[in-house]
Amino acid sequence: MTHDWYPDDFIRDVLGRVKTIAVVGATDNEVRASFYVTKYMTDKGFRMIPVNPGLVGKEVLGEKAYASLKDLPERPDMVDIFRNAEAAGAVAVEAAELGVPVIWMQLGVRNDEAAAKAEALGATVIMNRCPKIEYARLFGEIGRQGINSNIITTKKRPVKAVKKLI
Amino acid sequence: MTDESPRSFGFETRAIHAGSAPDPATGARATPIYQTTSFVFEDVDEAAALFNLQKVGFIYSRLTNPTVAVLEEKLANLEGGVGGTCTSSGHAAQILALFPLMGPGDELVASKKLYGGSLNQFANSFPRAFGWKVTFVDPDDPENFRKAITPRTKALFIESLANPGGVVCDIRAIADVADAAGIPLIVDNTMATPYLCRPIEHGATLVVHSTTKFLSGHGNSVGGIVIDSGKFDWRNGKFPALSEPEPGYHGLRFADTFGHLAFTIHGHAIGLRDLGPSMAPLNAFLTIAGVETLALRMERHCANAKAVAEFLKGHPAVAWVNYAGLPDSPYHALAKRYLPNGAGAVFTFGLKGGYEEGVRMVESVELFSHLANIGDTRSLIIHPASTTHRQLSPEGLKAAGATPDVIRISVGLESVDDIIADLDRALNKLG
Ligand SMILES: Cc1ncc(COP(=O)(O)O)c(C=O)c1O
């Protein structure tokens, strides 16, 4: 599939399907972007598993941290990768080999070669997007801060729709 | 960002629907007026997450308000920006746009052909209150901006279509100068509105508006907005308020954590929180209603203005007409490029007489309202030398384009024949 843009329904469907998300490049520093995403998605009912060799032996928001994806006791539904494009590519391929169905690279990060490999292994890949922003955008919250959601709807939006689904 | 899917809605559809989904709490189809100062927390954890900006929601209407947020999203969408911050007036929007960029001793390079109120704000109050130094340049040659930039310059500021002189800026060329210097171009798009011109499409980083004018459109609510394109990377060392740890938020770096949304989130979380010029919910409601018909109104405003300009041009009591929509205007080529759907509805013309004739003109019209505003459904008229600019010396009046012969009009939406007949009657009395 093209990675220049994603239909809103496609992202809405992915966020509605996944429950457990491994956060590669997670942090316990409360003002870093990956912490904001972990905190926000946790509050929305997702289970966010921190993955970062520097955090082994610690917890982030009550979830035990792991050094790498292959150390996880069970397969997550998605990985959200907070690494630069090169490192993210390697993680994406590793995740696909482990059978993780959804691989997500953060806003500003794109690696088409790795995406093609992961897709060949059966994974769904989303790049250069933030799941927190997308969730807030698609479920009507982001406009509360004056952000342009680019969504036109005449429906009364169920803000907590995804949380109810999972 | 590539958020826009290939099939995007037209301007008129977005003017009505962007940001304005049915109210999520009640299903109300028109946006409700959330006339409340504050919003209850679910529990202490939710309150903490809201205050830490980890949750998106409402705390207190100085920072965010559901009615105001609808207008912010609608206007950000129409301008092609990632977000917006509404303010109590257009002047407050100018302060809020510069506040994250400038510190004491920093410099701004601005067009010298700006709305007179902006010239006052920039030349007098900014240096005195904030220590911001403003250099004014002639915008007709984009090179003038480049020459005025110093290592302390943090932004360039222009009006797309300047009030009132019919001046159109070469936005792309000036944006290129800003880009080369690693600083943002801020465009006041009040007179054009996003229906006529979208400065972000021509390289602007920030757009500011006085929503008081054509956006609200009915002369009933003062307001402003700052819109961010989301395209500027604030981490080039020049903008510490956005890139360095913010003590008020536990050392949060806005540009790192919020990426392309940093400027808009900062605008609410720091700008409105600490400076305080928020838009009132009722004003947002009235402005939302105005924006819904923006396309129709601007089309008619421009058609009426063009007819009036052509009429004035042929009148024996009129010496000159400064309307960029006329083929002999020096700005006609730029107007065709940047304002293809019309050159706006505010312009000046000169009487063959002087001060006395100017006074007689504004006192003889009957349909036009004599007042200091623009962008109303009603046609408006003012004689700058006897009103808005009366404190200036003769040299000052000349520099401001407000010599005693100058009349400024904002052409309204009345029947165009009636507008022209009113001017004709008043002009014929000058004899
Ligand atoms: C071009 C322009 N910018 C800014 C302003 C200031 O806006 P406000 O009066 O809403 O503060 C005005 C007001 O006349 C204006 O015409």
Side-chain angles (χ1 to χ4, degrees):
Chain A
M1 75 180 287
T2 166
H3 290 285
D4 293 335
W5 66 279
Y6 304 98
D8 288 346
D9 285 345
F10 165 73
I11 297 209
R12 201 181 274 119
D13 178 58
V14 166
L15 288 174
R17 235 167 37 216
V18 304
K19 167 139 181 69
T20 305
I21 302 177
V23 184
V24 175
T27 178
D28 57 357
N29 178 344
E30 296 200 1
V31 298
R32 296 298 302 268
S34 66
F35 186 86
Y36 270 71
V37 173
T38 304
K39 168 76 178 150
Y40 181 87
M41 300 300 275
T42 301
D43 286 349
K44 294 296 169 202
F46 295 89
R47 190 168 164 222
M48 306 297 282
I49 316 285
V51 176
N52 183 338
L55 288 177
V56 172
K58 294 189 188 168
E59 289 187 350
V60 178
L61 296 175
E63 290 288 348
K64 183 175 170 211
Y66 296 88
S68 73
L69 286 176
K70 59 182 185 313
D71 298 328
L72 295 178
E74 50 195 294
R75 196 193 69 189
D77 303 319
M78 174 173 135
V79 281
D80 184 17
I81 310 172
F82 284 84
R83 303 291 304 275
N84 66 33
E86 198 187 4
V91 175
V93 175
E94 184 194 1
E97 285 167 355
L98 291 169
V100 179
V102 179
I103 295 165
W104 195 306
M105 296 182 219
Q106 270 298 320
L107 205 55
V109 179
R110 181 165 170 170
N111 185 328
D112 284 44
E113 203 182 316
K117 280 189 199 154
E119 282 167 343
L121 290 164
T124 297
V125 178
I126 297 175
M127 297 186 287
N128 190 24
R129 286 288 185 283
C130 169
K132 168 180 186 270
I133 293 176
E134 293 303 309
Y135 185 97
R137 197 174 72 76
L138 293 167
F139 295 97
E141 289 196 347
I142 206 162
R144 295 175 181 180
Q145 277 173 315
I147 304 297
N148 175 14
S149 67
N150 261 322
I151 291 190
I152 301 281
T153 178
T154 55
K155 304 282 181 275
K156 183 173 156 185
R157 274 182 278 173
V159 169
K160 295 204 167 91
V162 165
K163 193 167 179 178
K164 277 192 199 137
L165 271 176
I166 58 184
Chain B
M1 286 302 93
T2 51
D3 292 335
E4 196 110 335
S5 67
R7 173 72 185 90
S8 56
F9 288 98
F11 187 91
E12 290 82 354
T13 306
R14 290 180 292 122
I16 293 166
H17 290 286
S20 303
D23 180 56
T26 62
R29 185 56 281 220
T31 299
I33 305 168
Y34 277 90
Q35 192 66 35
T36 180
T37 54
S38 350
F39 304 84
V40 291
F41 306 119
E42 279 168 24
D43 50 33
V44 170
D45 282 349
E46 194 212 19
L50 283 166
F51 277 107
N52 287 339
L53 308 176
Q54 289 158 341
K55 184 179 163 117
V56 198
F58 301 105
I59 300 175
Y60 186 63
S61 288
R62 173 159 29 88
L63 311 168
T64 48
N65 171 281
T67 311
V68 178
V70 166
L71 179 61
E72 291 172 331
E73 179 171 359
K74 186 182 292 298
L75 290 176
N77 185 297
L78 292 179
E79 286 284 6
V82 296
T85 310
C86 275
T87 56
S88 54
S89 69
H91 266 15
Q94 293 173 183
I95 298 177
L96 219 73
L98 292 166
F99 181 60
L101 313 181
M102 311 271 291
D106 283 340
E107 298 176 17
L108 173 70
V109 179
S111 161
K112 70 176 184 193
K113 292 173 181 165
L114 294 178
Y115 158 60
S118 301
L119 294 175
N120 277 330
Q121 185 192 38
F122 287 16
N124 302 320
S125 290
F126 281 177
R128 195 178 59 231
F130 306 128
W132 300 344
K133 182 182 160 213
V134 185
T135 309
F136 294 99
V137 300
D138 186 340
D140 290 352
D141 183 359
E143 262 303 282
N144 292 338
F145 289 90
R146 194 186 59 73
K147 288 185 205 142
I149 290 172
T150 76
R152 294 300 297 265
T153 304
K154 298 300 169 76
L156 306 183
F157 191 103
I158 61 171
E159 285 173 19
S160 46
L161 172 64
N163 176 10
V167 174
V168 183
C169 283
D170 189 343
I171 303 171
R172 171 53 67 186
I174 299 167
D176 288 345
V177 172
D179 276 354
I183 56 176
L185 169 64
I186 307 172
V187 178
D188 180 341
N189 200 33
T190 299
M191 293 256 295
T193 82
Y195 178 69
L196 297 178
C197 177
R198 286 170 300 281
I200 290 171
E201 290 174 5
H202 305 294
T205 293
L206 301 172
V207 173
V208 294
H209 280 280
S210 166
T211 60
T212 316
K213 318 300 180 191
F214 294 98
L215 293 177
S216 81
H218 296 72
N220 59 21
S221 19
V222 174
I225 189 168
V226 186
I227 293 159
D228 178 30
S229 64
K231 291 181 178 151
F232 196 91
D233 188 349
W234 305 104
R235 293 173 293 192
N236 67 359
K238 286 180 187 282
F239 305 99
L242 291 159
S243 64
E244 296 308 306
E246 166 58 45
Y249 284 99
H250 310 294
L252 170 72
R253 296 169 191 259
F254 278 82
D256 278 352
T257 299
F258 298 117
H260 66 299
L261 306 180
F263 193 92
T264 301
I265 294 178
H266 190 277
H268 293 90
I270 304 283
L272 289 178
R273 188 195 69 172
D274 293 353
L275 296 177
S278 329
M279 181 181 276
L282 178 61
N283 281 22
F285 173 83
L286 292 167
T287 307
I288 290 164
V291 175
E292 287 178 7
T293 58
L294 180 66
L296 281 174
R297 287 187 295 105
M298 290 313 289
E299 222 172 83
R300 182 63 63 86
H301 272 297
C302 290
N304 286 359
K306 187 150 185 286
V308 169
E310 281 161 359
F311 157 77
L312 289 170
K313 189 119 190 107
H315 197 284
V318 172
W320 50 264
V321 178
N322 258 349
Y323 181 58
L326 293 177
D328 62 348
S329 159
Y331 297 101
H332 191 63
L334 284 171
K336 278 177 100 169
R337 176 163 171 208
Y338 290 109
L339 306 156
N341 295 326
V346 177
F347 61 91
T348 53
F349 62 92
L351 299 172
K352 283 193 178 143
Y355 191 90
E356 296 307 321
E357 283 73 14
V359 170
R360 205 141 23 104
M361 176 81 200
V362 295
E363 289 182 349
S364 336
V365 284
E366 286 170 7
L367 185 61
F368 275 75
S369 302
H370 177 207
L371 55 73
N373 190 27
I374 56 167
D376 194 326
T377 53
R378 290 153 275 258
S379 290
L380 314 175
I381 192 164
I382 200 160
H383 177 226
S386 63
T387 54
T388 49
H389 291 65
R390 65 175 304 134
Q391 75 283 8
L392 295 185
S393 63
E395 303 80 65
L397 288 175
K398 188 150 190 277
T403 45
D405 59 324
V406 174
I407 299 287
R408 181 188 80 187
I409 57 174
S410 174
V411 179
L413 301 177
E414 300 96 337
S415 309
V416 70
D417 293 346
D418 295 337
I419 300 172
I420 289 174
D422 193 40
L423 291 170
D424 193 35
R425 198 177 329 107
L427 287 166
N428 291 339
K429 280 193 193 165
L430 302 180

